[in-house]
Amino acid sequence: MSSKIETKCIHEGWKPSQGEPRQLPIYQSTTFKYDSSDAMGRLFDLEAEGYFYTRLQNPTNDAVAAKICALEGGAAAMLTSSGQAANFYAIFNICEAGGHFIASSSIYGGTYNLFGVTMKKMGIECTFVDQELPEEELAKYFRPNTKAVFGETITNPTVSVFDFEKFAGLAHSHGVPLIVDNTFATPVNCRPFEWGADIVTHSTSKYMDGHGVGVGGCIVDSGNFDWSEHAEKFPGLTTPDASYHGITYTERFGKGAYITKATAQLMRDFGSIQSPQNAFYLNLGLETLPLRMERHCRNALAVARFLQSQEQVAWVHYPGLEGDRYHHLAVKYMPDGTCGVLAFGIKGGREASIAFMDKLKVASIVTHVADAKTCLLHPASHTHRQLTDEQLAESGVAPDLIRLSVGIENAEDIIEDLRQALQ
Ligand SMILES: *Cc1c(COP(=O)(O)O)cnc(C)c1O
């Protein structure tokens, strides 16, 4: 039965049979018992499916991954300890030393640093591109060793909307997959696979969890990218793995090849697992995700309109606003709404912005975004303070940019708070 997303949020993943717990059990166990040495041995050869050690797989985590997989419309998925781990694995699974990939320069600061600094030390090169460039210009950045293209559905913190069709076309005509971080939109508002993306990542720490209780991440594979067709680019998936008795992932696992490889190699060796307890909290968050996204979007639009009408406010970026530079892309890719995050600047620049933030009472200053409570942050003095002015400009973060994450309180109370602080 193909149900709607609200129903999937409740019923996908854990499907109890007669007499089993109604709610997802927390399998708080590092290990799992087997009756014979041989039965366990087959698991290590990836010949049989089953659980043996939570660093590789855990039933609670798998149920939650399966739910997110269903929400995105994917073929296979895995949870990770954080969004950072998800984005690292997503690239490293197909791009090793000597490889190159292309990423939008507007992505989240943490990912920008991971790709541009840390992965560079591993011999992997990332070219950051202005995502507004026309296709012909972007095509020039591809090299023979390019392995992937990476973007964010709605960028954190500049709330720019990614043009899926443009990038999917480019990636596929160069024989590489499109990987999209769908954290801000969530599958409730956007399903990147429907627009040509091949792999989706999430920081589940944001709207999916929704209450700011657990850091986590997820990778979902659509199963649509044909690795074998570009076998020479992706030997890790299309040639035998010596660490698993020479199995070839694409041959053995088909649409599950990419996620199986990421689990069997990267999770085995790096171990960035989500704890089953956190997966349980994440599952609770997912149950109410559609309700919350609707409210976040409605509140954010009301707040964006209010800010726009205030003379102390220099500018407001929110793709839901009719006059916004990304409104047309938002309408195309996210007709039901975008997210609760918006960016704005206050006249008087950096100092005025800081003075304003310190006056707020309902909204709090926290290094977080996208949960139930309205919060805000000044990237130039917080998340992005490691970046040089040049890098700030490149990622489109103005020095006066305030990132406001509108929560699910009553919109009038949020607006009243902003009003008194502006005054
Ligand atoms: C927060 C965030 C991340 C990093 O996720 P963590 O769970 O904090 O590691 C990655 N991408 C986006 C878009 C984010 O907002």
Side-chain angles (χ1 to χ4, degrees):
M1 194 185 89
S2 99
S3 42
K4 305 270 193 305
I5 200 139
E6 294 81 355
T7 312
K8 288 181 180 160
C9 281
I10 302 293
H11 293 292
E12 285 290 345
W14 172 246
K15 291 180 177 163
S17 43
Q18 170 134 300
E20 283 192 321
R22 185 77 186 90
Q23 314 307 343
L24 171 67
I26 305 169
Y27 286 87
Q28 194 70 41
S29 180
T30 54
T31 193
F32 301 83
K33 177 186 168 285
Y34 285 87
D35 288 337
S36 74
S37 162
D38 191 46
M40 178 107 99
R42 279 204 297 274
L43 301 179
F44 276 95
D45 287 348
L46 299 183
E47 270 174 12
E49 274 191 49
Y51 296 99
F52 53 104
Y53 192 58
T54 285
R55 169 150 48 76
L56 281 116
Q57 282 187 296
N58 172 282
T60 307
N61 291 14
D62 283 2
V64 180
K67 177 178 280 188
I68 297 173
C69 188
L71 298 181
E72 289 287 4
M78 68 196 283
L79 296 189
T80 58
S81 56
S82 65
Q84 287 299 106
N87 284 330
F88 171 58
Y89 282 20
I91 297 286
F92 195 62
N93 201 32
I94 49 171
C95 186
E96 302 177 359
H100 167 258
F101 67 104
I102 293 169
S104 159
S105 62
S106 312
I107 55 175
Y108 170 68
T111 316
Y112 191 96
N113 199 71
L114 166 69
F115 289 175
V117 179
T118 300
M119 290 182 76
K120 193 172 182 181
K121 293 180 191 160
M122 306 170 99
I124 297 165
E125 220 186 315
C126 176
T127 303
F128 293 103
V129 299
D130 174 356
Q131 64 178 24
E132 308 316 323
L133 287 176
E135 227 166 302
E136 322 78 78
E137 289 297 313
L138 290 166
K140 294 179 187 159
Y141 293 102
F142 284 83
R143 305 177 189 170
N145 63 341
T146 303
K147 310 287 184 180
V149 176
F150 183 96
E152 276 172 22
T153 304
I154 306 170
T155 60
N156 176 0
T158 52
V159 288
S160 311
V161 178
F162 190 68
D163 191 343
F164 289 98
E165 288 186 328
K166 176 171 81 176
F167 279 95
L170 266 169
H172 296 158
S173 65
H174 291 86
V176 302
L178 174 61
I179 305 177
V180 176
D181 180 331
N182 196 31
T183 298
F184 271 19
T186 83
V188 170
N189 283 339
C190 183
R191 285 170 302 280
F193 297 155
E194 293 172 5
W195 300 102
D198 302 288
I199 290 149
V200 159
T201 60
H202 282 281
S203 164
T204 61
S205 328
K206 313 295 165 56
Y207 289 119
M208 284 189 168
D209 166 307
H211 304 80
V213 297
V215 173
C218 183
I219 309 173
V220 188
D221 179 16
S222 66
N224 293 336
F225 191 82
D226 189 347
W227 308 104
S228 313
E229 198 184 314
H230 309 283
E232 74 299 341
K233 273 188 192 289
F234 306 104
L237 282 157
T238 59
T239 59
D241 177 0
S243 72
Y244 275 112
H245 304 300
I247 61 160
T248 298
Y249 291 95
T250 43
E251 281 172 16
R252 177 75 72 85
F253 300 103
K255 284 182 183 295
Y258 175 89
I259 292 294
T260 305
K261 176 179 181 288
T263 304
Q265 293 179 348
L266 304 187
M267 206 50 104
R268 178 194 63 191
D269 297 348
F270 292 114
S272 322
I273 55 158
Q274 187 159 141
S275 77
Q277 181 78 44
N278 276 7
F280 173 82
Y281 292 134
L282 171 56
N283 186 57
L284 284 184
L286 289 169
E287 291 195 355
T288 57
L289 184 63
L291 289 172
R292 289 184 289 104
M293 288 312 288
E294 195 182 324
R295 173 69 80 90
H296 279 294
C297 292
R298 187 159 20 102
N299 281 359
L301 187 58
V303 166
R305 288 192 175 133
F306 163 76
L307 288 171
Q308 232 179 4
S309 72
Q310 300 302 295
E311 59 170 312
Q312 302 96 321
V313 174
W315 55 271
V316 182
H317 288 164
Y318 182 64
L321 282 175
E322 257 133 48
D324 191 80
R325 59 207 168 127
Y326 291 104
H327 189 65
H328 64 293
L329 288 178
V331 168
K332 176 174 174 180
Y333 296 121
M334 291 165 269
D336 297 333
T338 52
C339 65
V341 181
L342 55 88
F344 69 102
I346 298 222
K347 287 180 190 158
R350 200 182 271 250
E351 279 76 47
S353 306
I354 292 171
F356 158 78
M357 296 192 353
D358 288 344
K359 286 272 185 316
L360 291 163
K361 297 187 171 84
V362 175
S364 46
I365 302 171
V366 297
T367 306
H368 198 241
V369 67
D371 70 37
K373 302 176 181 74
T374 297
C375 62
L376 77 177
L377 178 121
H378 185 227
S381 35
H382 305 136
T383 44
H384 286 57
R385 65 188 299 145
Q386 260 66 277
L387 302 192
T388 63
D389 280 358
E390 203 174 48
Q391 287 172 320
L392 264 186
E394 198 175 287
S395 42
V397 178
D400 64 343
L401 183 148
I402 294 174
R403 181 184 75 183
L404 177 65
S405 173
V406 180
I408 55 175
E409 301 95 338
N410 186 299
E412 285 173 24
D413 291 337
I414 303 169
I415 289 172
E416 241 355 272
D417 188 34
L418 295 169
R419 191 196 307 277
Q420 62 81 24
L422 280 172
Q423 278 162 4

